[in-house]
Every structure is written in C-alpha cells, then in structure tokens.
C-alpha cells in the first residue's frame, strides 16, 4: 500500500524562542508558522536581527525552542521533545552565507564532502566516488577533490558547501544568505545552479535573504519577518505586486529602481528595527509605520487570511 506523498514537506506551527541574556529576556521568535511543499522554495526576508537564523537553527535541530511544533516529512519535533535525544536531522541540509568559515581550512574537499557520508557508514573508495558525483552535480570536476578551501574561489567554495549539504539527499535545504558574500556575477551562477538542482531532485528550499531580487528569481512564496513574526506571506508575484503590509511595501520601495523613467519613492522606512529586548507594545512595526494609529500602538493585530496561501498581520493593510 502506497501512502500519498504529503502535500506539506515542512510544517511549522507557533514557534517561540526566547534567549535569556544579561540584558533581559529576548523574544527571537514570537509565534512563527508556515508550510513548505515538496519542491517548493519559500523565501524568508527581513532586516537583520528579526530571527531568520534562529528559525534556521531550530529547523536544523541545532537549537531548542520554547513552544510550537516543527514537522518535516512527517517527523515531528515539539518544544517538549527531549532536547538531548534529538538526532541530527538527515533530511535537512544547510548552506551558510560564508563558505570561508563553514568549510574547515585544514580539510581537502574530499573529506569535507565525505564527512556527512562517514556518518552513515560510508568509507574509502565509496566516499571518493560519491564525493566526485556530488562535485559534478554542482559543476566541479573530480580534480577539486584534492584541493583545500584556500585553493578555491568564493563561488567554488560555495559549490562545495552545496555539494556537502546535498550529500545525504535531504528533502529540505536551508540556504541562509548563500550568495550574500559573493560577487554579483558569481551570485547569478550559484542561483542558477540552485534552480537546476531543485528541478532535478525536487528538494525544497527555505531561502533566507534580504535581497528581493533574489526572491523574485528563485522563490515561489515569500514570508516577510519583522521582530520575530511573519508579518506577511504569499506567492511572490502577488506579494510583490500588491503588498498588504506597510513593512513589505517599505522593503519593496527601498529596492533601487533600475528603470530611470520610474521615479523612486522617498525612503519610507524611518529609524531602525527596535531591539527585541524592547519590543514596542501593540504592533511592533507601529513606531516606524506611516499608517499607524492608536489601535496599532495599543493592541496586536491578528492574522488576516487574504486568499489561498496569503496572509498578513496588520490593522490597516494597503
Ligand atoms: P537574523 O538572522 O534575522 O539576523 P537572528 O536569528 O540571528 O536574526 O537573531 C534574532 C535575535 O536574537 C537578535 O536580536 C539576536 O541578537 C538574538 N540572538 C541570536 N542568537 C542569540 C543567542 N545565542 N543569544 C542571545 N541572543 C541571540
Ligand atoms: Mg542571520
């Protein structure tokens, strides 16, 4: 009997995470929920400090969380699951922003890609063969097996990091600003490679970026985060064409317009993201929002559904 494949590969419900710091309790994730279908790419955008990497760590099983549920491919982890017993997730891979720090400089590429293969008992020739296959998937020849990271360009290092992340054939790949440290032309090559890999393997991506051009190129859906919450989500074309949340609109307005006949709006984002240690009452975006009223400063908005897979968190949507 064949079970139907799950329509949702990833299902995150009500995720909360606080860090207890010297300066007080910091809410890094404040009720985050989303889904990702097999083969789908969800982009996660938002300014620095809004909780994107914390969310990635929780999904990877690198960090605990305080409330909520994470289910990946039917395998569910709750905040109550015994943290120490959590196995490293084979079904989730990760690529970080900076390959210089994520690749061990003392290891040759064969050993770097071989590490995850060793964890499943693969040894010797089999590792070399599989590492060579993985390299070829990311567009590098077998001669790279015997090189050290410092002998590679930034783009080649990121290809190696992608090969390592794919070694155990994950269902979900988390890409945390994977092209932010690369030159623009190299960025484009890596994005093209990621698209091709996705088409070939049906892997899902959680693509963390602050570059809306990248979102437009690679993602099916986008979730916009602000201070530990997703404030708007939906299909990329719809959200970009008709943002409902003023913060999404502000992010879009801040993108430089290439076409000089289109006049750029005045930068509408005043001030900085508040510290999550000093979360404003009501809607956390209210202090920076031109549409904010006394309601926004006094109470927190609830999610409004706006068509299939479209939601926003705002009292006065656009
Ligand atoms: P992003 O990736 O969106 O920049 P992070 O998830 O790294 O955001 O951080 C979210 C918030 O949590 C920030 O205010 C950050 O300072 C804080 N934070 C992240 N990691 C820790 C930690 N280990 N201890 C205390 N605070 C942390
Ligand atoms: Mg980050």
């Amino acid at each position: 009997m064949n079970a139907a494949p799950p329509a949702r590969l990833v299902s995150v419900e009500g995720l909360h995470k606080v860090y207890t710091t010297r300066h007080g309790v910091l809410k890094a994730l404040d009720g985050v929920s989303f889904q990702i279908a097999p083969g789908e790419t969800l982009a996660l955008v938002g300014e620095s400090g809004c909780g994107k990497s914390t969310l990635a760590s929780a999904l990877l099983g690198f960090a605990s969380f305080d409330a909520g549920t994470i289910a990946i491919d039917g395998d569910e982890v709750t905040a109550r699951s015994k943290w120490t017993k959590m196995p490293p997730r084979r079904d989730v891979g990760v690529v970080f922003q900076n390959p210089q720090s994520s690749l061990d400089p003392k290891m040759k590429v064969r050993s770097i890609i071989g590490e995850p293969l060793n964890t499943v008992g693969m040894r010797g020739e089999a590792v070399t063969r599989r590492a060579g296959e993985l390299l070829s998937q990311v567009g590098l020849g077998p001669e790279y097996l015997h090189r050290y990271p410092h002998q590679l360009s930034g783009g080649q290092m990121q290809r190696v990091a992608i090969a390592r992340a794919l070694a155990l054939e994950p269902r979900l790949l988390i890409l945390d600003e994977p092209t932010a440290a690369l030159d623009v032309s190299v960025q484009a090559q890596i994005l093209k490679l990621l698209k091709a890999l996705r088409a070939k393997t049906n892997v899902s991506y959680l693509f963390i970026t602050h570059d809306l051009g990248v979102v437009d190129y690679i993602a099916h859906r986008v979730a916009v985060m602000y201070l530990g919450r997703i404030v708007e989500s939906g299909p990329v074309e719809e959200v970009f064409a008709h943002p409902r949340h003023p913060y999404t609109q502000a992010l879009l307005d801040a993108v430089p317009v290439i076409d000089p006949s289109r006049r750029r709006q005045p930068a509408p984002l005043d001030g900085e993201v508040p510290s999550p240690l000093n979360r404003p009452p009501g809607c956390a975006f209210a202090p920076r929002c031109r549409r904010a009223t006394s309601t926004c400063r006094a109470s927190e908005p609830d999610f409004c559904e706006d068509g299939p897979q479209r939601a926003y968190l705002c009292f006065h949507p656009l």
Side-chain angles (χ1 to χ4, degrees), residues 95-105 112 148-150 152-162 164 176-182 186 190:
V95 176
F96 296 105
Q97 172 173 345
N98 196 335
Q100 267 101 341
S101 53
S102 67
L103 303 181
D104 187 335
I112 290 171
Y148 289 97
H150 72 87
L152 308 176
S153 69
Q156 288 165 345
M157 278 194 250
Q158 207 55 314
R159 285 174 193 266
V160 170
I162 294 167
R164 176 180 59 184
D176 194 349
E177 306 258 12
T179 59
L182 304 174
V186 182
I190 297 291

Side-chain angles (χ1 to χ4, degrees), residues 77-126:
V77 180
T78 65
R80 286 180 299 280
S81 307
K82 191 115 192 194
W83 174 241
T84 48
K85 283 202 183 142
M86 217 154 100
R89 300 206 80 127
R90 277 189 59 173
D91 46 3
V92 188
V94 64
V95 176
F96 296 105
Q97 172 173 345
N98 196 335
Q100 267 101 341
S101 53
S102 67
L103 303 181
D104 187 335
K106 297 184 296 296
M107 282 163 77
K108 286 186 180 175
V109 167
R110 181 198 169 279
S111 309
I112 290 171
I113 301 177
E115 237 177 3
L117 299 172
N118 294 155
T119 66
V120 293
M122 204 183 273
R123 298 281 181 267
E125 255 321 291

Side-chain angles (χ1 to χ4, degrees), residues 62-84:
F62 291 174
S64 62
F65 46 98
D66 302 300
T69 316
I70 297 175
I72 301 174
D73 209 6
D75 179 6
E76 187 172 290
V77 180
T78 65
R80 286 180 299 280
S81 307
K82 191 115 192 194
W83 174 241
T84 48

Side-chain angles (χ1 to χ4, degrees), residues 158-221:
Q158 207 55 314
R159 285 174 193 266
V160 170
I162 294 167
R164 176 180 59 184
L166 293 175
L168 300 181
E169 300 182 347
R171 302 288 315 274
L172 173 70
L173 198 55
I174 297 177
L175 301 145
D176 194 349
E177 306 258 12
T179 59
L182 304 174
D183 293 340
V184 175
S185 62
V186 182
Q187 247 182 48
Q189 292 164 18
I190 297 291
L191 290 172
K192 201 170 152 205
L193 169 69
L194 289 169
K195 248 191 183 179
L197 289 169
R198 177 180 75 189
K200 211 156 78 182
T201 63
N202 205 36
V203 64
S204 301
Y205 294 153
L206 178 66
F207 201 112
I208 300 175
T209 180
H210 58 259
D211 185 334
L212 299 186
V214 169
V215 175
D216 200 27
Y217 178 77
I218 201 148
H220 302 107
R221 283 189 304 126

Side-chain angles (χ1 to χ4, degrees), residues 19-21 26-28 46-55 176 276:
Y19 293 113
T20 309
T21 72
L26 184 157
K27 269 191 190 176
E47 287 163 287
S48 175
C50 69
K52 304 183 297 293
S53 295
T54 299
L55 181 59
D176 194 349

